[in-house]
Amino acid sequence: ENYSVNWNYESGISTSTNPTLLFKDTGTYDLTYRIMTTFGCILEGKYPGYIQVYSAPSLDIISSNEDKLLQLNIFSNSALDYIQWELNGNTIGTDQQLSYEVNKYGQYLVTLQATDIYGCQNSTSKFMNVLPSAALFIPNIFSPNQDGQNDVWLPWLPTNGLKSYALSIFDR
């Protein structure tokens, strides 16, 4: 190697000829360099505002379901370039708005992975209970092992005008 390089940026210094830079805050940063040959020649320069660090896109899953049909949509603060929806770990679509029919009632984990136009990535997940649309649903099991599935026993009632209800449980 006939030269040495020092890259100076707000988060540190790198002597690599092809550095990977890590920034913890969004913003615009200057980049300065210093190259020195084995003969002692020095070349220095500065690129003001050369590095632009963007935040990961904020994501929110907006959902509803009617019987076994899930309606999924995204709320994001960024223009998204890539979108992937997953249901219990299986890819189900890549559109911003998605309708997906499940084959049975139950609890499903919906995950949204997205990349914005700057290449920043983020993901979010949400449990959705898919229940009959107009019936009382009382689970016959629960597993309070904190795995995120059926951890709480809770009857589901349609909310059409219902203000309260009473529930009694008896041990035979």
Side-chain angles (χ1 to χ4, degrees):
E1 194 168 278
N2 297 331
Y3 58 91
S4 63
V5 178
N6 282 351
W7 294 100
N8 295 301
Y9 55 100
E10 186 157 318
S11 295
I13 297 173
S14 175
T15 57
S16 171
T17 55
N18 191 13
T20 299
L21 310 178
L22 181 63
F23 296 86
K24 63 180 181 175
D25 296 317
T26 61
T28 302
Y29 298 92
D30 298 340
L31 180 65
T32 60
Y33 63 90
R34 181 179 182 181
I35 302 172
M36 186 165 63
T37 68
T38 54
F39 302 111
C41 299
I42 296 174
L43 177 63
E44 295 180 316
K46 182 176 184 177
Y47 294 105
Y50 185 72
I51 299 172
Q52 178 69 46
V53 178
Y54 299 96
S55 62
S58 68
L59 301 173
D60 191 17
I61 298 172
I62 301 168
S63 61
S64 64
N65 68 68
E66 186 175 316
D67 209 23
K68 294 181 184 175
L69 185 65
L70 296 177
Q71 302 287 339
L72 304 172
N73 200 350
I74 301 170
F75 174 78
S76 178
N77 64 344
S78 300
L80 300 176
D81 191 44
Y82 173 77
I83 298 164
Q84 178 175 300
W85 292 98
E86 294 180 3
L87 188 69
N88 290 346
N90 299 310
T91 301
I92 59 170
T94 57
D95 295 326
Q96 182 166 341
Q97 295 179 340
L98 181 69
S99 294
Y100 186 82
E101 189 167 351
V102 296
N103 57 6
K104 63 181 183 175
Y105 299 115
Q107 187 176 63
Y108 294 89
L109 178 62
V110 175
T111 300
L112 168 63
Q113 297 179 16
T115 304
D116 69 11
I117 59 174
Y118 304 110
C120 301
Q121 301 174 350
N122 202 356
S123 66
T124 188
S125 297
K126 181 179 188 178
F127 280 104
M128 292 191 60
N129 290 312
V130 178
L131 305 168
S133 59
L136 167 65
F137 177 76
I138 301 175
N140 60 355
I141 61 166
F142 76 106
S143 60
N145 58 1
Q146 298 185 351
D147 67 353
Q149 296 186 356
N150 302 316
D151 286 331
V152 178
W153 183 86
L154 184 66
W156 180 85
L157 300 151
T159 57
N160 313 12
L162 183 66
K163 298 201 187 313
S164 67
Y165 70 92
L167 174 69
S168 299
I169 299 175
F170 299 95
D171 182 11
R172 292 188 243 175

